[in-house]
Amino acid sequence: MAFWAGGSPSIVDYFPSEDFYRCGYCKNESGSRSNGMWAHSMTVQDYQDLIDRGWRRSGKYVYKPVMNQTCCPQYTIRCQPLQFQPSKSHKKVLKKMLKFLAKGEVPKGSCEDEPMDSTMDDAVAGDFALINKLDIQCDLKTLSDDVKESLESEGKNSKKEEPHELLQSQDSVGEKLGSGEPSHSVKVHTVPKPGKGADLSKPPCRKAKEIRKERKRLKLMQQNPAGELEGFQAQGHPPSLFPPKAKSNQPKSLEDLIFESLPENASHKLEVRVVRSSPPSSQFKATLLESYQVYKRYQMVIHKNSPDTPTESQFTRFLCSSPLEAETPPNGPDCGYGSFHQQYWLDGKIIAVGVIDILPNCVSSVYLYYDPDYSFLSLGVYSALREIAFTRQLHEKTSQLSYYYMGFYIHSCPKMKYKGQYRPSDLLCPETYVWVPIEQCLPSLENSKYCRFNQDPEAVDEDRSTEPDRLQVFHKRAIMPYGVYKKQQKDPSEEAAVLQYASLVGQKCSERMLLFRN
């Protein structure tokens, strides 16, 4: 039908939590609990809406902690890149990288990096057996073919029961995806409130000397352009003009610090490439083995894994496979929406890889792994700062893409509290799904692991499931509203599972996504 002409709808299998698992954070053998679903396919708008309700993916497995029961509540955290200013410690990491690139300087003594987000090692460790089983059982191609046939048959029969519901739900997706193209500039403007200073959306007054410097820099860039990859320039050099250098009495911007010019005889060359991982691009395929070897060494040295784990198939399943449909609307980012690997190339070899999702409203960080030989460069911090700058770059033309999601913030786990240092940032209220500045949340978290951050006692989840009969079900190669499907079912546990799913994904997603029932 016309409303899915641009791609497949989201198709998910839901698995309610039946037990507690070992927690990778506090090591409690039976303390972690989450609900999950296997996503055969998923649109970027649906995933955007899901992470705004506390969901997160690991490969094609999408899970949501049972916040008031799990031992270490995991709160979704997002940073506001447009207002972000690097802290003193952030600046030290950026300067350390510049010194290494320029002169080959290696800092003396040990250098502790921020721990990586434990997307697969810890958060879903208890679900490994389920995920492996699902990966074998779930046949995406068969399901996709079935869905296409079902949609085509519905298109031929306009009198099919309640087709307008699907049409309306898909229209809302189209509206939310509308935005501008991203430019290659990282220059960021924010429009102040009336009466609050100069309009920063307009170019600042500049001296002739500064204009001449910019022209010279542009000329040099044109003579020796950064390599382009998949229509998206590598980040090793400024891909467009940057703001004039800040005066001595003004703090340098994040871009000034990252892209500070290096001498011609610099000791090292760093290049950052963005390659689509799902579906895998030719560039991604060409570097897959090298990328896997970096990950294997990372797991052996940092996480003390044995040499025979993880296997290449495990690596592919968790860090390369993604349910997100690649979407390249004309008014979206040049690279499109979906899942990508951000590869850090030092002197022609990969030393780190950031796994990211580019969504309608944000860049979502999934995972980062790196060559342990370069731990002294604090690559966890450095990559986060580069991803924040990357988000600002995408925002230039794609105005609604303005947040950087850092996964989960776990206040009860000391090694995971570092994410709160990227300010300004917000935490997601686990009951009403509104964003609350982290400063307002911390006092409550000091007193209790689980907190409702929304201080309005009357506030409710605005997207709560109010009409479960409108939920869309995919059953026996046919799409139907739950109101029709439930008349065919007699198992009371089936209704409980479907209603729980509806409450967790919200009304909008329940009407857009197809819940697969066998």
Side-chain angles (χ1 to χ4, degrees):
M1 294 177 69
F3 49 85
W4 273 321
S8 301
S10 299
I11 310 171
V12 299
D13 263 341
Y14 176 66
F15 301 94
S17 174
E18 296 179 353
D19 207 349
F20 286 86
Y21 300 100
R22 181 180 185 275
C23 177
Y25 301 110
C26 69
K27 310 307 178 186
N28 185 328
E29 289 299 325
S30 57
S32 178
R33 191 170 198 181
S34 64
N35 293 297
M37 54 189 177
W38 185 264
H40 299 271
S41 64
M42 184 165 286
T43 67
V44 291
Q45 185 61 59
D46 284 341
Y47 187 55
Q48 176 71 67
D49 289 344
L50 286 174
I51 62 174
D52 283 336
R53 294 182 64 82
W55 292 82
R56 183 159 167 77
R57 79 172 184 88
S58 177
K60 292 185 176 182
Y61 184 67
V62 188
Y63 64 99
K64 185 183 191 310
V66 182
M67 296 290 282
N68 59 352
Q69 296 181 27
T70 193
C71 55
C72 296
Q74 300 156 59
Y75 299 93
T76 303
I77 183 171
R78 73 178 186 186
C79 172
Q80 300 178 32
L82 307 188
Q83 289 78 39
F84 175 80
Q85 286 293 336
S87 67
K88 194 172 181 180
S89 63
H90 294 152
K91 291 177 182 177
K92 283 184 179 179
V93 169
L94 295 175
K95 288 177 181 176
K96 179 167 57 177
M97 176 63 82
L98 288 171
K99 286 181 180 179
F100 173 72
L101 295 176
K103 305 175 183 177
E105 285 188 19
V106 176
K108 296 179 181 178
S110 62
C111 179
E112 291 188 7
D113 195 9
E114 291 174 352
M116 300 303 101
D117 198 358
S118 312
T119 302
M120 69 173 149
D121 306 86
D122 299 335
V124 293
D127 297 332
F128 266 13
L130 173 62
I131 296 171
N132 290 334
K133 183 180 178 183
L134 292 176
D135 202 21
I136 295 169
Q137 289 182 344
C138 297
D139 187 344
L140 174 60
K141 185 179 185 303
T142 302
L143 265 184
S144 297
D145 290 344
D146 287 350
V147 171
K148 285 178 182 176
E149 286 181 24
S150 177
L151 293 176
E152 286 170 3
S153 65
E154 286 194 33
K156 293 174 183 176
N157 182 13
S158 60
K159 294 182 180 179
K160 191 82 172 180
E161 187 169 354
E162 299 186 54
H164 63 282
E165 291 190 5
L166 291 172
L167 178 60
Q168 290 170 347
S169 60
Q170 285 307 118
D171 283 347
S172 63
V173 178
E175 290 168 7
K176 291 197 174 184
L177 286 178
S179 62
E181 284 184 22
S183 72
H184 295 305
S185 169
V186 296
K187 190 173 179 181
V188 177
H189 295 302
T190 54
V191 180
K193 295 179 181 178
K196 294 290 183 181
D199 185 354
L200 297 180
S201 65
K202 296 179 181 178
C205 296
R206 293 141 62 199
K207 293 181 179 178
K209 184 178 179 182
E210 290 174 339
I211 294 173
R212 287 196 300 272
K213 282 185 177 179
E214 281 200 357
R215 285 175 180 162
K216 183 179 179 181
R217 187 153 66 245
L218 177 60
K219 187 176 181 181
L220 288 172
M221 287 170 60
Q222 289 172 337
Q223 291 172 351
N224 184 28
E228 287 199 8
L229 195 55
E230 298 183 37
F232 208 61
Q233 284 188 325
Q235 281 185 275
H237 300 283
S240 183
L241 289 180
F242 287 89
K245 286 208 170 188
K247 295 180 181 178
S248 57
N249 61 343
Q250 294 177 335
K252 287 185 176 181
S253 69
L254 177 61
E255 289 76 19
D256 286 333
L257 294 166
I258 290 175
F259 297 112
E260 191 167 310
S261 58
L262 296 171
E264 290 184 7
N265 61 343
S267 299
H268 301 284
K269 179 184 178 183
L270 178 69
E271 188 180 20
V272 179
R273 302 178 187 174
V274 179
V275 297
R276 184 176 287 280
S277 55
S278 180
S281 64
S282 57
Q283 291 89 343
F284 176 81
K285 291 177 182 176
T287 57
L288 180 61
L289 183 58
E290 182 177 356
S291 183
Y292 164 62
Q293 292 300 332
V294 173
Y295 175 70
K296 191 172 183 178
R297 290 203 65 232
Y298 170 76
Q299 288 293 331
M300 288 172 57
V301 176
I302 305 299
H303 289 294
K304 313 302 180 188
N305 281 14
S306 60
D308 57 339
T309 58
T311 64
E312 189 172 350
S313 64
Q314 288 173 326
F315 164 72
T316 302
R317 182 181 302 128
F318 287 103
L319 292 178
C320 305
S321 296
S322 169
L324 298 186
E325 294 288 317
E327 298 180 26
T328 54
N331 56 355
D334 287 350
C335 58
Y337 296 115
S339 298
F340 299 82
H341 278 197
Q342 205 165 34
Q343 302 173 335
Y344 293 76
W345 289 76
L346 181 70
D347 302 332
K349 71 172 185 176
I350 299 175
I351 64 164
V353 177
V355 183
I356 60 172
D357 293 328
I358 299 178
L359 304 174
N361 298 338
C362 72
V363 169
S364 175
S365 177
V366 179
Y367 201 74
L368 180 117
Y369 54 94
Y370 57 85
D371 186 335
D373 289 347
Y374 296 92
S375 295
F376 63 87
L377 290 174
S378 302
L379 291 169
V381 183
Y382 183 77
S383 65
L385 296 173
R386 289 296 295 248
E387 287 172 6
I388 289 172
F390 182 50
T391 307
R392 288 160 65 132
Q393 178 183 328
L394 293 178
H395 171 78
E396 268 288 292
K397 289 287 182 69
T398 312
S399 59
Q400 69 183 34
L401 205 164
S402 54
Y403 293 101
Y404 173 58
Y405 284 47
M406 296 179 283
F408 289 138
Y409 173 83
I410 307 172
H411 192 76
S412 57
C413 180
K415 73 173 186 176
M416 298 303 291
K417 290 169 69 173
Y418 72 91
K419 295 181 182 182
Q421 297 169 6
Y422 295 84
R423 304 284 180 93
S425 57
D426 310 300
L427 297 183
L428 186 67
C429 176
E431 295 182 9
T432 62
Y433 304 113
V434 297
W435 295 97
V436 181
I438 193 170
E439 295 86 352
Q440 296 178 26
C441 305
L442 295 180
S444 299
L445 289 172
E446 287 294 326
N447 297 323
S448 174
K449 287 183 179 181
Y450 174 75
C451 299
R452 170 192 166 110
F453 299 136
N454 193 328
Q455 297 300 308
D456 180 1
E458 304 297 321
V460 295
D461 170 16
E462 294 294 337
D463 189 38
R464 64 193 180 282
S465 177
T466 54
E467 299 180 83
D469 282 359
R470 293 171 62 90
L471 178 151
Q472 296 299 319
V473 175
F474 185 55
H475 177 61
K476 292 184 178 179
R477 303 182 67 170
I479 299 170
M480 65 189 75
Y482 177 64
V484 174
Y485 169 78
K486 70 179 180 180
K487 294 175 183 177
Q488 308 171 16
Q489 304 302 312
K490 296 180 181 179
D491 183 359
S493 64
E494 171 75 358
E495 181 176 17
V498 173
L499 293 180
Q500 184 185 65
Y501 159 83
S503 69
L504 295 176
V505 303
Q507 187 69 35
K508 286 186 299 185
C509 280
S510 74
E511 291 186 39
R512 286 197 306 251
M513 302 195 305
L514 302 183
L515 175 63
F516 179 72
R517 306 314 283 172
N518 195 344

